[in-house]
């Protein structure tokens, strides 16, 4: 049987896992696809670097073009990262009729439509399961499993690094900086972890999921984003006392034919299944009109879980080649995009205010909520342990995002409010 030759771009955390699985599971894999799978050439930044896997040094190159232009390579597996230059490699590989497997959400969120269009033109496959929620087969699930339904909500913990950080801060009271360092050492964080902690990585993943779930072209700029860098141990402790867990949630919702997509630290009711997703684990909750509630859980990052998805994509690509159906699976978004305005988006909110401890303050606060038509579910005032202010903890009923922004601005201009300490979305 003629082997299928694969070119690998990158031999870092994920690339190493890919080599381990392709070599370690070769017998099973070749039985499933009907040919041996050979990793023919591997591009790395530095061929001299010490690696924790043995690869034939002849296979390594510092020139990705050598892999892309290699005449015998049928499939390119891109686990190198990067956006603009990487896009050039991918487009050229497609131009040459090579199929693509990538774990690169940055690339797919920014240039997915261009890459998929090129793939369709060239009758090539582009698979990108590992780009969202590492080891969870959520992209397949949205494309195939939900093709018959109309999805109303996709809610995800889709960044392992931040979930790891929030879990450790919550369960062990460890500081933010300490846990971030640990997540980097474990290979979960991006090369620049700012994109993890500021929510950009999750936003890119949510743009990919929402595009697939709502059949419309969701771009990164459509996702409203805030990260976890300002979440304190104090916020987490308040959340827990009130029966919530703090999670960085990506939420894509559809109301009739309008959608909204956001990523933000969110207080999730402890009884919601997504509240108990801890550590580097990810979960994606999907609600469909017909199916109701579903949830998919697993490791969202790390060498072997991510490589599992990459190699499963490789198997799909090779099967398609054998069946002669390459390039036929991509379904271009077919719905017009209509985003819900901030006036129409309604959530529950948690607010923590530090205020002067004197008569009439609470009355002023509730008056402002009333002015902007925000109804309150609970208000608790308590002395502040550390200074003479009082703390007021408020949970609202559903309130429009635009009105809550006006409330926050008004509070910030009020003398009796020393500080608007925190404002979080509440889910469940
Ligand atoms: N880590 C994870 O858990 C997950 C990662 N991903 C995505 O997978 C991709 C890879 O991530 P990860 O494995 O963590 O990244 P790493 O930084 O661990 O590895 C990157 C690899 O690419 C090589 N490389 C980087 N730039 C170049 C270049 N210009 N030319 C040639 N080789 C280059 C590096 O070479 P060298 O070894 O010589 O430095 C390294 O082998 C990224 O897109 C990431 O977002 C997706 C899901 C999970
Ligand atoms: N940095 C990412 C890696 C997977 O996409 C994460 O932490 O989830
Ligand atoms: Na996945």
């Amino acid at each position: 049987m003629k082997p299928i030759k694969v070119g690998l771009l990158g031999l870092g955390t994920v690339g190493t896992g890919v080599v381990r699985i392709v070599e370690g599971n070769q017998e099973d894999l070749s039985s499933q696809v009907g040919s041996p799978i050979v990793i023919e050439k591997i591009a790395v930044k530095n061929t001299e670097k010490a690696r924790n896997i043995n690869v034939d040094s002849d296979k390594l190159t510092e020139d990705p073009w050598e892999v892309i232009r290699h005449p015998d390579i049928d499939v390119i597996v891109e686990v190198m990262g990067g956006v603009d230059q990487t896009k050039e490699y991918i487009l050229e590989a497609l131009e040459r009729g090579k199929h693509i497997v990538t774990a690169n959400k940055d690339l797919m969120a920014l240039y997915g439509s261009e890459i998929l269009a090129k793939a369709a033109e060239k009758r090539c496959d582009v698979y990108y399961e590992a780009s969202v929620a590492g080891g969870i087969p959520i992209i397949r699930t949205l494309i195939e499993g939900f093709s018959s339904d109309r999805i109303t909500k996709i809610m995800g913990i889709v960044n392992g690094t931040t979930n790891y950080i929030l879990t450790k801060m919550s369960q062990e009271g460890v500081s933010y900086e300490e846990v971030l360092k640990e997540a980097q050492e474990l290979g979960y964080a991006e090369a620049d972890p700012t994109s993890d902690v500021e929510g950009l990585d999750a936003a890119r993943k949510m743009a990919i999921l929402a595009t697939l779930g709502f059949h419309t072209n969701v771009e990164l700029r459509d996702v409203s984003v805030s990260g976890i860098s300002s979440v304190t141990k104090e916020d987490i402790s308040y959340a827990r006392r009130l029966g919530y867990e703090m999670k960085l949630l990506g939420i894509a919702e559809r109301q009739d034919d309008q959608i909204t997509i956001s990523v933000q630290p969110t207080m999730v009711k402890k009884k919601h299944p997504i509240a108990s997703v801890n550590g580097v684990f990810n979960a994606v909750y999907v609600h469909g009109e017909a199916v109701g509630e579903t949830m998919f859980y697993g490791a969202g990052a790390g060498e072997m879980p991510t490589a599992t998805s990459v190699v499963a994509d490789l198997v799909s690509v090779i099967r398609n080649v054998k069946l002669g159906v390459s390039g036929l699976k991509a379904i271009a978004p077919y719905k017009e995009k209509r985003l819900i305005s901030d006036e129409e988006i309604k959530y529950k909110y948690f607010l923590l205010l530090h205020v002067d401890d004197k008569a009439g303050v609470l009355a002023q606060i509730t008056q402002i909520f009333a002015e902007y038509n925000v109804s309150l579910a609970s208000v608790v005032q308590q002395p502040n342990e550390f200074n003479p202010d009082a703390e007021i903890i408020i949970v609202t009923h559903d309130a429009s995002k635009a009105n809550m922004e006006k409330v926050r601005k008004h509070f910030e201009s009020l003398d009796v409010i020393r500080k608007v300490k925190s404002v979080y979305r509440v889910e469940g």
Side-chain angles (χ1 to χ4, degrees):
M1 279 179 296
K2 187 172 164 271
I4 295 285
K5 295 197 175 167
V6 175
L8 194 57
L9 302 181
L11 187 59
T13 304
V14 184
T16 301
V18 169
V19 175
R20 283 195 216 285
I21 294 180
V22 169
E23 288 179 353
N25 299 356
Q26 182 61 225
E27 205 178 313
D28 278 326
L29 294 173
S30 52
S31 304
Q32 288 178 50
V33 300
S35 310
I37 301 175
V38 173
I39 296 182
E40 184 73 10
K41 205 83 199 160
I42 306 172
V44 292
K45 214 187 273 177
N46 175 7
T47 49
E48 301 301 316
K49 184 169 158 183
R51 300 187 185 271
N52 52 10
I53 190 163
N54 283 329
V55 287
D56 183 351
S57 62
D58 289 351
K59 291 195 171 185
L60 296 181
T61 172
E62 289 177 7
D63 180 12
W65 289 117
E66 212 186 306
V67 181
I68 302 297
R69 293 178 180 143
H70 197 298
D72 301 335
I73 285 176
D74 310 293
V75 188
I76 299 289
V77 171
E78 187 275 304
V79 284
M80 176 174 89
V83 176
D84 292 310
Q85 181 61 62
T86 309
K87 181 183 99 171
E88 296 309 312
Y89 296 140
I90 300 295
L91 290 176
E92 179 61 23
L94 288 168
E95 189 61 43
R96 288 166 181 262
K98 299 184 197 300
H99 308 283
I100 307 293
V101 173
T102 178
N104 192 332
K105 58 262 161 167
D106 308 9
L107 181 72
M108 291 311 289
L110 291 170
Y111 296 115
S113 52
E114 189 179 340
I115 288 170
L116 293 170
K118 180 57 125 184
E121 180 198 324
K122 294 293 182 182
R123 280 287 183 97
C124 286
D125 277 335
V126 175
Y127 276 64
Y128 49 102
E129 182 62 74
S131 68
V132 181
I136 308 175
I138 187 63
I139 290 183
R140 279 181 167 65
T141 301
L142 288 175
I143 295 175
E144 291 170 16
F146 287 105
S147 58
S148 55
D149 205 352
R150 284 169 48 83
I151 291 170
T152 49
K153 186 167 186 175
I154 303 173
M155 188 157 76
I157 293 177
V158 289
N159 182 270
T161 301
T162 46
N163 204 44
Y164 186 80
I165 294 172
L166 291 175
T167 304
K168 285 258 178 170
M169 283 173 74
S170 166
Q171 295 182 350
E172 296 170 26
V174 195
S175 79
Y176 169 84
E177 291 75 15
E178 220 175 308
V179 207
L180 172 59
K181 197 162 161 281
E182 230 179 283
Q184 285 176 289
E185 281 161 9
L186 288 163
Y188 303 150
E190 296 303 304
D192 173 6
T194 319
S195 70
D196 292 298
V197 297
E198 296 306 342
L200 195 59
D201 177 79
R204 288 171 170 160
K205 291 165 175 169
M206 289 309 297
I208 295 172
L209 293 184
T211 295
L212 295 171
F214 300 142
H215 305 291
T216 191
N217 188 22
V218 175
E219 295 164 279
L220 197 54
R221 62 166 179 253
D222 302 325
V223 186
S224 96
V225 191
S226 64
I228 66 158
S229 58
S230 55
V231 176
T232 62
K233 285 197 273 184
E234 187 191 17
D235 293 336
I236 293 177
S237 139
Y238 275 116
R240 299 193 90 188
R241 264 191 267 164
L242 292 172
Y244 299 94
E245 293 291 350
M246 187 74 77
K247 296 288 173 195
L248 183 72
L249 280 195
I251 307 181
E253 291 162 281
R254 178 176 65 78
Q255 285 165 20
D256 301 321
D257 59 350
Q258 290 186 298
I259 59 168
T260 176
I261 308 101
S262 60
V263 169
Q264 64 277 298
T266 305
M267 286 171 44
V268 191
K269 262 267 184 267
K270 279 185 181 165
K271 68 176 194 299
H272 194 289
I274 214 160
S276 56
V277 174
N278 287 322
V280 71
F281 281 93
N282 282 192
V284 183
Y285 164 100
V286 183
H287 184 274
E289 282 177 4
V291 74
E293 293 184 296
T294 62
M295 199 164 103
F296 305 87
Y297 170 86
E303 180 183 315
M304 297 309 272
T306 309
T308 305
S309 288
V310 173
V311 181
D313 278 354
L314 185 57
V315 166
S316 299
V317 166
I318 300 172
R319 279 195 186 132
N320 291 345
V321 170
K322 300 270 171 156
L323 293 168
V325 294
S326 299
L328 296 180
K329 282 194 69 180
I331 301 160
Y334 53 87
K335 285 197 174 147
E336 190 195 336
K337 180 168 62 192
R338 294 189 55 209
L339 297 170
I340 308 178
S341 71
D342 282 359
E343 283 70 30
E344 291 167 295
I345 299 173
K346 290 194 172 152
Y347 310 135
K348 295 183 185 66
Y349 288 91
F350 162 96
L351 292 94
L352 173 60
L353 309 175
H354 284 187
V355 302
D356 283 352
D357 195 3
K358 63 182 189 196
V361 173
L362 201 52
Q364 281 190 61
I365 289 171
T366 50
Q367 171 60 34
I368 291 166
F369 276 117
E371 205 176 302
Y372 295 107
N373 199 25
V374 176
S375 153
L376 304 183
S378 73
V379 181
V380 177
Q381 176 167 350
Q382 60 186 34
N384 188 317
E385 286 171 46
F386 306 104
N387 59 49
D389 301 342
E391 286 180 336
I392 298 189
I393 299 154
I394 297 159
V395 179
T396 73
H397 287 299
D398 278 342
S400 89
K401 194 175 173 188
N403 281 350
M404 266 312 296
E405 203 36 50
K406 288 179 194 155
V407 167
R408 180 212 280 261
K409 288 224 170 84
H410 201 143
F411 282 169
E412 279 166 357
S413 69
L414 218 60
D415 284 347
V416 293
I417 295 185
R418 299 274 172 99
K419 191 159 191 199
V420 180
K421 194 75 186 24
S422 322
V423 180
Y424 292 110
R425 178 172 171 177
V426 173
E427 190 59 40

